[in-house]
Amino acid sequence: MDPTSTCLSFPDLRTHQSDRDISPADYVMILRDTLKLHKNICIARNFHTMDRDAVLRGKRNLYIDVWPVNLFHVDIAESYDTSCLFILQLACILNMVSTWRKRTTLRVMMLIRSDSTDTDMRKSKLRSLLVELRIKAEIVPVLWDQVDTFKTEQTQDWAAKDEGDSGEFRIMPKSYLEATNDMIKKHATNTVVCFLYMPRPPPVDQTSPAVYLQALSQLTNELPPSLMVHGVSTVTSTHL
């Protein structure tokens, strides 16, 4: 058999107008299988809107924003898990590229409540973590009260039996996702890239894959280019 004939078994490359061949269920199963193989995942959103030349030639200071918290299961106490550390590392690597370092500032967003009495302590703890990881970044407190009120409309928690897992996905009401999206937009006026926490995909027999993907889409709707990240492997070390 002619070896070149094997190429005939592959479908043509998909054009922008053609239908997607992969279903939501298949896509989510790929994500779940990838995590089972202990591989880290990054999903890119809205990168088609990036004007790289404008970033590299612009004179104004731009930002790389990191949101190291699972916005589908917010823990204000912020115990930074493997995904959070992976997000910080990826953002730091981008910021260290010479052309980006000259024009961008790395910012770490820290959710706070107006009645909280431990904000300074948490900010100091986060600062210590950044120093330990040798990451140069600004810490930006972000008021969470108004968004948090929409969580009372929560409709489903597929991982309710595992309350200790902050990496889980919870179905949240549309109003909550819109409020969270608006909160990110409000702080992203001069942001060139957002790094967000991607929650672990739920079992397809418990939550519709389309619901999971729609929630990710609603969260990142019209944001700057965004990278949703889920880490399962340790990628940072403080022993050097």
Side-chain angles (χ1 to χ4, degrees):
M1 183 178 69
D2 181 0
T4 61
S5 66
T6 58
C7 67
L8 298 177
S9 63
F10 293 95
D12 294 333
L13 292 176
R14 191 176 72 220
T15 64
H16 180 69
Q17 293 80 13
S18 62
D19 294 334
R20 298 185 178 184
D21 294 329
I22 187 169
S23 68
D26 289 338
Y27 188 86
V28 171
M29 284 302 299
I30 290 173
L31 296 180
R32 288 182 57 81
D33 288 345
T34 302
L35 294 178
K36 288 179 181 178
L37 293 172
H38 300 287
K39 302 297 183 181
N40 300 321
I41 291 180
C42 298
I43 297 180
R45 289 276 295 158
N46 305 328
F47 273 82
H48 65 285
T49 65
M50 175 180 284
D51 186 345
R52 186 170 178 271
D53 290 336
V55 173
L56 300 181
R57 297 174 184 173
K59 295 182 179 180
R60 64 178 180 177
N61 190 43
L62 300 173
Y63 299 108
I64 299 171
D65 289 349
V66 181
W67 296 80
V69 58
N70 181 2
L71 294 168
F72 292 90
H73 185 186
V74 173
D75 176 14
I76 288 294
E78 288 173 354
S79 54
Y80 297 102
D81 62 11
T82 300
S83 289
C84 294
L85 298 179
F86 186 36
I87 294 170
L88 287 168
Q89 186 192 46
L90 290 177
C92 178
I93 291 172
L94 177 60
N95 185 237
M96 289 174 64
V97 176
S98 59
T99 50
W100 284 69
R101 185 170 62 246
K102 297 175 182 177
R103 296 170 176 83
T104 62
T105 298
L106 182 60
R107 302 193 302 182
V108 180
M109 321 307 277
M110 185 183 77
L111 300 182
I112 63 171
R113 291 192 175 95
S114 58
D115 59 352
S116 177
T117 59
D118 64 347
T119 298
D120 289 340
M121 181 186 67
R122 290 178 48 232
K123 189 173 182 180
S124 176
K125 180 180 177 182
L126 177 55
R127 172 59 60 196
S128 296
L129 175 64
L130 295 174
V131 170
E132 188 176 20
L133 296 175
R134 297 179 291 279
I135 295 177
K136 183 179 180 181
E138 294 181 0
I139 299 175
V140 180
V142 177
L143 197 61
W144 175 245
D145 299 53
Q146 186 172 358
V147 177
D148 195 35
T149 59
F150 292 101
K151 289 173 61 179
T152 57
E153 303 172 24
Q154 184 173 318
T155 57
Q156 181 179 342
D157 178 2
W158 69 266
K161 295 181 180 179
D162 189 4
E163 291 295 337
D165 184 359
S166 62
E168 69 192 32
F169 170 74
R170 295 181 174 184
I171 296 179
M172 306 300 286
K174 182 179 179 181
S175 56
Y176 169 84
L177 294 174
E178 289 176 344
T180 305
N181 175 268
D182 288 341
M183 175 188 68
I184 298 174
K185 283 180 185 175
K186 180 181 177 181
H187 291 85
T189 303
N190 294 321
T191 297
V192 62
V193 179
C194 283
F195 285 82
L196 303 169
Y197 191 120
M198 187 195 88
R200 194 177 66 253
V204 294
D205 61 342
Q206 297 187 31
T207 299
S208 166
V211 170
Y212 174 76
L213 296 178
Q214 180 63 24
L216 299 187
S217 296
Q218 289 175 332
L219 180 67
T220 57
N221 182 43
E222 296 183 353
L223 291 184
S226 301
L227 203 65
M228 303 202 73
V229 178
H230 191 94
V232 294
S233 302
T234 302
V235 293
T236 58
S237 174
T238 60
H239 298 297
L240 298 178

